[in-house]
Amino acid sequence: MPDATHCADARPGSSAAYCDRCDLLVGLDGLRVTGVEHRSDGVLVIDVESPPGPVGCPGCGVVAESAGRKALVLKDAPMGTRPVRVRWRKRRWRCRQDGCEVRAFTEQNPAVAAPNAILTARAVAWAVTQMRRENASVRGVARQLRVAWGTVWTHVEAELQRREKDPGRFDGVEVLGVDEHLWHHVSTKPVAEGGRGPKELTGMVDLTRDASGHVRARLLDLVPGRSSKAYADWIKERTPEFRTGVKIAALDPFAGYKKALDDELDDATAVLDAFHVVKLGTAAVDEVRRRVQQDTLGHRGRKGDPLYGIRNILRAGRDRLTDKQRSRLETAFARQEEHIEVEVAWHAAQQLRDAYKHPDLTEGRKIALAVLGSFPSCPIPEIARLGKTLNQWRDAFLAYWATNRSSNGGTEAVNGLIELARRVARGFRNYDNYRLRMLLIAGGLDTPAPT
């Protein structure tokens, strides 16, 4: 094939046929490449235009009169490491039809760029993907495009707002998770008074399993505050179809969220998150260790103290302990008679872990019932208090074994993504921008996966 990698016809102003190979490489539908320039500053400039032909007036439909072309320079997605500029020779027309309100109009192609846009549509899509998949900051994207921060965010924000308004993103939610996190650490005064409002945001997460049975957590929304009202008001704003579709609601042991579920999603099964229950057990052991430490030695833990030396081992599951660690535990427990309280508390926490880790749900539930029956009467006050707490949440606690191990783990994973995005951005000042960015990076603006 002669001239397989060279096209002499693709040059500005040429009346010759366009080059299909150049058009394929550039990939702007409806536009043909007429020239390429590599500037000394490293920017790649691509000249494009649409083929000539008759065009009807958008007002009356009569064939319009050509008024020549006008070049518009758009910022495009990078090619390799080079920033790209698309110089689009847009066609212009005049309508001579009497009585038509449209006197003149210019060529538009939404697939290339929105009207009055600075970035091409694919540059916006590329920027969104970089922020969604590669943890890129707005500043980093702007640097690669060689444009200002405001230019990138203006275009990206419009795209995110369009996706956020799509009611279909709430479709198919059967398992709902909820958790809170802090989004700033400055003044909580209202924005109008120079603050940033509440530090806490309540996040709602879709924890529905996909067709393969895996949880693909995605953030549904973030609302200011950490209260029953914040959660309940968000649920009220959803459609009846959404509320009736939620079958399971996972939550941390916070009474405010439980009240909102009881009031607004009373048909859904509330499930207490396994991680937080185990955390309560581990915290109880830690409290017993510190109390016994004070009672026996009269001071906080220090290097060389037997109980202080095993503080981290006490937080681990017994199935993960090495022989050396087991020996250290046994030695510390046997050191003084008073240490038996720590030993009993540790075995109680391990029993709680066993309930969750048992491979058989029926047997795991039996262990959980034994925990509910024995912990409240334990002579160790910290364990007795834990038992009373679990009995207050009895139905939500036992629901774990009736809902195929549903938990709030996916919500915690979303919180991890949020923390990463906040670090990359070095913090946020605007709640609306923060909400859109977090919805993007945590999958809230993606199309829901089929279940």
Side-chain angles (χ1 to χ4, degrees):
M1 179 178 179
D3 299 323
T5 59
H6 176 69
C7 177
D9 293 332
R11 60 185 185 273
S14 173
S15 59
Y18 299 108
C19 174
D20 291 338
R21 289 171 294 180
C22 295
D23 297 337
L24 180 63
L25 284 172
V26 173
L28 291 172
D29 292 341
L31 300 182
R32 311 300 299 271
V33 176
T34 61
V36 178
E37 174 190 355
H38 193 190
R39 296 191 329 212
S40 59
D41 60 357
V43 175
L44 188 67
V45 181
I46 304 174
D47 291 292
V48 296
E49 67 180 24
S50 59
V55 173
C57 171
C60 63
V62 173
V63 175
E65 176 184 302
S66 175
R69 294 178 185 265
K70 180 179 180 180
L72 171 69
V73 178
L74 297 168
K75 280 72 173 179
D76 199 14
M79 287 189 177
T81 59
R82 292 179 297 183
V84 176
R85 301 293 180 261
V86 172
R87 192 156 49 204
W88 181 8
R89 298 179 64 242
K90 301 182 74 171
R91 300 177 68 190
R92 297 187 296 176
W93 297 274
R94 288 187 292 266
C95 181
R96 300 297 192 183
Q97 187 70 11
D98 294 337
C100 181
E101 296 181 355
V102 178
R103 307 311 303 166
F105 59 98
T106 305
E107 177 182 12
Q108 299 294 341
N109 187 339
V112 176
N116 303 316
I118 298 176
L119 303 183
T120 63
R122 69 181 180 188
V124 176
W126 174 84
V128 169
T129 301
Q130 289 293 304
M131 295 165 63
R132 167 73 174 95
R133 299 294 182 185
E134 308 302 330
N135 298 314
S137 64
V138 176
R139 178 68 65 190
V141 171
R143 185 166 49 248
Q144 294 183 72
L145 293 174
R146 290 199 189 177
V147 298
W149 184 97
T151 300
V152 172
W153 181 245
T154 297
H155 289 74
V156 169
E157 182 183 28
E159 172 63 15
L160 301 190
Q161 288 174 340
R162 182 190 67 79
R163 297 187 189 186
E164 189 268 337
K165 293 176 182 177
D166 180 13
R169 68 189 190 90
F170 293 109
D171 292 347
V173 178
E174 297 179 358
V175 183
L176 182 65
V178 63
D179 199 7
E180 81 289 338
H181 71 271
L182 301 180
W183 80 281
H184 72 81
H185 299 276
V186 293
S187 174
T188 58
K189 291 180 180 180
V191 177
E193 298 179 14
R196 296 185 193 171
K199 291 184 178 182
E200 300 88 356
L201 295 181
T202 293
M204 282 60 66
V205 178
D206 178 14
L207 300 175
T208 307
R209 300 177 189 269
D210 61 16
S212 62
H214 297 100
V215 174
R216 305 295 183 187
R218 59 188 185 94
L219 182 65
L220 295 176
D221 214 342
L222 290 171
V223 296
R226 177 185 183 261
S227 64
S228 171
K229 185 178 186 303
Y231 193 21
D233 287 349
W234 182 85
I235 296 174
K236 289 177 184 177
E237 293 172 0
R238 307 280 71 78
T239 63
E241 293 76 16
F242 175 89
R243 293 195 294 269
T244 57
V246 175
K247 306 302 181 185
I248 300 171
L251 74 163
D252 302 343
F254 173 51
Y257 293 154
K258 182 63 166 62
K259 182 179 184 302
L261 291 176
D262 292 341
D263 292 344
E264 306 301 332
L265 290 177
D266 54 337
D267 291 335
T269 300
V271 181
L272 200 59
D273 181 51
F275 169 80
H276 286 84
V277 173
V278 172
K279 184 180 178 181
L280 288 176
T282 303
V285 176
D286 230 20
E287 291 174 9
V288 175
R289 178 189 61 80
R290 288 195 295 267
R291 176 173 59 80
V292 173
Q293 169 84 28
Q294 286 284 351
D295 292 345
T296 55
L297 299 179
H299 58 74
R300 296 176 60 184
R302 299 173 185 171
K303 184 177 180 180
D305 292 343
L307 292 182
Y308 184 75
I310 61 169
R311 66 192 184 284
N312 290 328
I313 301 178
L314 291 173
R315 299 188 182 109
R318 59 184 160 202
D319 56 312
R320 294 179 176 273
L321 298 181
T322 64
D323 292 339
K324 182 178 179 181
Q325 289 172 326
R326 290 177 184 274
S327 177
R328 289 179 60 190
L329 272 183
E330 293 169 1
T331 300
F333 290 156
R335 188 74 173 268
Q336 288 184 240
E337 184 178 352
E338 292 83 357
H339 292 183
I340 192 173
E341 284 192 85
V342 181
E343 182 178 6
V344 171
W346 181 75
H347 283 292
Q350 296 304 313
Q351 185 181 13
L352 190 57
R353 283 175 177 266
D354 292 343
Y356 285 110
K357 291 183 68 66
H358 202 288
D360 184 82
L361 288 172
T362 302
E363 294 301 317
R365 188 175 187 276
K366 289 180 180 179
I367 299 174
L369 289 171
V371 166
L372 292 173
S374 61
F375 278 25
S377 59
C378 181
I380 301 174
E382 292 84 357
I383 300 301
R385 184 171 65 247
L386 173 61
K388 292 175 182 177
T389 299
L390 293 178
N391 273 279
Q392 289 174 352
W393 291 84
R394 181 185 180 90
D395 291 341
F397 172 56
L398 293 176
Y400 175 87
W401 292 272
T403 57
N404 194 23
R405 304 185 189 275
S406 294
S407 75
N408 220 16
T411 306
E412 297 297 337
V414 166
N415 280 344
L417 291 175
I418 290 174
E419 288 291 337
L420 175 59
R422 194 163 64 242
R423 291 191 187 102
V424 169
R426 303 295 193 271
F428 288 81
R429 292 180 292 178
N430 184 292
Y431 160 71
D432 294 325
N433 291 353
Y434 177 82
R435 174 176 172 271
L436 284 175
R437 287 281 298 278
M438 297 308 109
L439 285 176
L440 172 66
I441 65 102
L445 304 182
D446 296 346
T447 302
T451 58

